[in-house]
């Protein structure tokens, strides 16, 4: 991993594997109760949410469908409207489904806002969102996710699907990389 200079950094654990699992179980239970008489379609945003979504769907005890969308964001200097780029879209119609968008983290909120606007045009029955982590202090939109695992301060978070230089997604706990 010679592209990552972490020699003078240390790892600080924010949420352990056990804490994450407990929270994911609680979210799955709440979601299962709310959607039990609905037609749930879980929409995982790639890449960041793939681990969270995989764990979450296994804690939702009702029939559901799983779909994926892939987006990238361009960075902070770009205009809002150009921030999010859709790389992979849904192939099938979502009319008649209650869509729950699942993402790893709500930061500026621009990704979720973009995906919600995009999905509205496809005419689903309803759209809600679920994030494992929420950094409300960074928000640049009105977005408030419907289901939130943990609210966190403005720090760069890694692990459990979240990347640093495209690595660390496989680490089973969530941590920050801080100066020694
Ligand atoms: P947004 O700013 O809410 O649009 O977030 C865009 C995406 O940036 C998220 O879905 C994450 O994949 C990524 N992201 C935001 N904050 C962090 C972080 O602290 N660590 C790793 N990825 C992040
Ligand atoms: Mg993401």
């Amino acid at each position: 991993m010679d592209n990552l200079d972490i020699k003078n950094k240390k790892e600080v654990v924010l949420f352990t594997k056990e804490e994450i699992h407990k929270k994911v179980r609680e979210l799955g239970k709440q979601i299962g109760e709310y959607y039990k008489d609905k037609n749930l379609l879980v929409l995982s945003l790639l890449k960041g949410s793939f681990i969270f979504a995989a764990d979450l769907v296994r804690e939702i005890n009702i029939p559901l469908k799983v779909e994926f969308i892939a987006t990238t964001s361009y960075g902070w200097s770009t205009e809002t409207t150009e921030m999010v780029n859709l790389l992979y879209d849904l192939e099938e119609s979502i009319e008649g489904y209650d869509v729950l968008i699942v993402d790893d983290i709500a930061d500026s909120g621009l990704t979720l806002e973009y995906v919600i606007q995009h999905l509205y045009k496809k005419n689903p029955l309803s759209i809600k969102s679920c994030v494992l982590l929420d950094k409300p202090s960074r928000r640049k939109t009105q977005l408030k996710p419907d289901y939130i695992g943990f609210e966190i301060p403005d720090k760069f978070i890694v692990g459990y699907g979240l990347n640093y230089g495209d690595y660390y997604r496989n680490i089973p706990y969530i941590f920050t990389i801080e100066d020694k």
Side-chain angles (χ1 to χ4, degrees), residues 45-49 71-73 102-106 111 161-163 169:
L45 302 197
L46 297 173
K47 302 172 191 172
S49 81
T71 59
T72 52
S73 36
V102 174
D103 205 1
D104 48 3
I105 186 166
T111 303
L162 292 130
N163 63 306
R169 293 192 197 273

